[in-house]
């Protein structure tokens, strides 16, 4: 009995500060002292302050840290960095089409100045799709090494250099080389824009996609409308009308310089500010991996009673616990890639040849450029609204069908009355061109993870641009050999019908992670009757 009393008194004796720090805590591993602290994320339940993130139950121990559970939350995300990212994404999107639409408005002057044929002009209008397919596949690998920001910076620099050099390179070969350099920068940026939105604004995908789609359409329309007036202001020089669009690309380079430096420093471990973990993991992935990797003490205390927390959806097969299926086995990925390809075909035919259709119908060059600007400019409000509408719908097939029907109406009008109803046909084609922000929104919605969006964006855009390569070239060949626009418009209408069907298929709610898995072979356990 005295021994029992002695043991009880020893158990009730207050803990020393050192004992209080060590009691009930796992022994840290060799990297615990040197490992960087996990920054807090306002969207991450594991790092949010409040009752859910409270310390383990029990009285506070003198000398113990304030919290021995979840990592201490760091400062809130920097406001200036968020605003700089928004401005950088918008300015980058502004530069993704002027190199193409400014050429479309001045195509006849370029053909006369360089002495190129209709077939070569068709090759020139097909060059964007070819460059996007070839250089777009490089974007994920480059982004994996240094992050999206340095690659976007390099893309803006390539656009500025190519647009500035191609009018003065001399000859058709030099013009094609300069165009290819600018289009290579556009290709890298095209693939990484949905990735940047998903990674840096995961809770505002629809809004940010609408923002950069709107600024993309704005740049497209401004270049189409001002290319001819700028050339006339410089004495009719088409070279100046093309080279002036290097200025906004240079402005984008200056804006992305600090963003690329900050993001590169974070990946190298020189900063541990807010958002560093968000560049690598989504909030659900971070919480799951910390929970799975946390060492559990041998005598873990029972959790304190309280309101139950919703753990959220169970981790899927792409949370790092299992290998993701091949994207080429996903019907949704193929539908998106082909839908992207046919809408790109229609878009680049419109940007490259629509002014020529109106000019051949008897309209002056400035009016033809203004009509192209209307077609492209209609995407400014629609590109902002459409992704938000699509994000709130369960299925987006109806939107894809409506856009396809609008394109068919525009082509029919160009065939029967190209000059009389020119403004109406420009409006219909402008509505149809909004298939581009729709497919970008679908890319962000058809994958469960940021890594899946990278794979899907690269696959869909590379596949789509390969599909769209022959379209503008074939239109140029048909135009040259038929001497009119009847056969080209018939081909364009047939391609639009295919686009409509693919859009309906891609608009169904599916996830690429849930498709393309091979069924496991039935083993002995599966063939043995239960019991």
């Amino acid at each position: 009995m005295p021994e029992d009393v002695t043991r009880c008194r020893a158990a009730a004796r207050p803990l020393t500060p050192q004992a209080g720090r060590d009691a009930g805590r796992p022994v840290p591993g060799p990297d615990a002292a040197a490992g960087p602290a996990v920054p807090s994320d306002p969207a991450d339940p594991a790092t949010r302050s409040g009752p859910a993130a409270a310390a383990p139950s029990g009285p506070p121990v003198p000398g113990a840290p304030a919290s021995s559970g979840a990592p201490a939350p760091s400062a809130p995300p920097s406001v200036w960095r968020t605003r700089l990212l928004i401005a950088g994404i918008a300015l980058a999107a502004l530069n993704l089409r002027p190199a193409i639409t400014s050429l479309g408005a001045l195509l006849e002057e370029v053909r006369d100045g360089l002495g190129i044929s209709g077939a070569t002009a068709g090759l020139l209008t097909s060059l964007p799709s070819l460059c996007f397919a070839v250089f777009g596949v490089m974007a994920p690998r480059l982004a994996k090494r240094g992050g999206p920001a340095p690659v976007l910076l390099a893309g803006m620099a390539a656009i500025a250099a190519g647009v500035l050099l191609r009018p003065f390179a001399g000859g058709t070969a030099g013009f094609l080389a300069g165009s290819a350099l600018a289009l290579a920068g556009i290709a890298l940026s095209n693939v990484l824009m949905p990735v940047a939105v998903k990674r840096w604004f995961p809770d505002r995908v629809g809004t940010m996609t609408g923002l950069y789609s709107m600024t993309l359409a704005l740049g497209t329309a401004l270049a189409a409308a001002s290319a001819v007036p700028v050339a006339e202001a410089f004495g009719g020089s088409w070279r100046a009308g093309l080279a002036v669009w290097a200025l906004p690309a240079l402005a984008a380079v200056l804006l992305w310089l600090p963003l690329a430096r900050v993001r590169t420093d974070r990946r190298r471990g020189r900063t541990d500010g807010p958002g560093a973990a968000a560049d690598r993991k989504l909030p659900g992935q971070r919480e799951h991996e910390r929970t799975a990797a946390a060492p559990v003490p041998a005598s873990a205390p029972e959790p304190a009673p309280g309101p139950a927390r919703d753990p959220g959806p169970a981790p899927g097969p792409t949370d790092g616990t299992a290998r993701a299926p091949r994207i080429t086995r996903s019907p949704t990925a193929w539908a998106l890639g082909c839908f992207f390809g046919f809408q790109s075909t229609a878009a680049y035919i419109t940007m490259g040849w629509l002014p020529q259709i109106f000019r051949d119908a008897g309209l002056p060059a400035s009016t033809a450029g203004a009509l192209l600007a209307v077609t492209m400019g209609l995407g400014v409000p629609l590109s902002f609204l459409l992704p938000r509408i699509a994000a709130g719908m369960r299925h987006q097939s109806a939107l894809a069908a409506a856009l396809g029907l609008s394109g068919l109406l525009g082509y029919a009008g160009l065939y029967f009355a190209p000059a009389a109803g020119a403004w109406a046909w420009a409006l219909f084609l402008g509505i149809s061109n909004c298939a581009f922000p729709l497919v970008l929104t679908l890319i962000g919605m058809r994958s469960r993870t940021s890594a899946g969006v990278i794979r899907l964006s690269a696959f869909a855009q590379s596949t789509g641009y390969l599909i769209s390569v022959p379209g503008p070239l074939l239109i140029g060949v048909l135009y040259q050999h038929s001497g009119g626009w009847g056969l080209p418009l018939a081909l364009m209408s047939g391609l639009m019908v295919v686009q409509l069907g693919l859009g309906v298929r891609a608009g169904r709610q599916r996830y690429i992670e849930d498709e393309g898995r091979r069924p496991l072979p039935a083993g002995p356990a599966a063939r043995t009757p239960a019991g």
Side-chain angles (χ1 to χ4, degrees), residues 124-138:
L124 193 59
T125 55
S126 293
L127 194 60
S129 301
L130 181 62
C131 290
F132 293 168
V134 171
F135 295 104
V137 296
M138 302 167 55

Side-chain angles (χ1 to χ4, degrees), residues 46-128:
T47 60
R48 188 187 298 122
S49 61
S57 61
V61 180
S67 174
S68 58
S74 55
S78 173
V79 175
W80 75 265
R81 189 175 296 129
T82 300
R83 293 176 178 175
L84 199 60
L85 279 170
I86 294 173
I89 289 174
L91 189 55
L94 189 72
N95 287 278
L96 294 184
R97 293 298 179 269
I100 303 170
T101 53
S102 60
L103 176 61
L106 294 168
L107 184 59
E108 186 171 317
E109 286 75 10
V110 173
R111 289 176 59 188
D112 295 339
L114 298 177
I116 60 178
S117 63
T120 307
L123 174 62
L124 193 59
T125 55
S126 293
L127 194 60

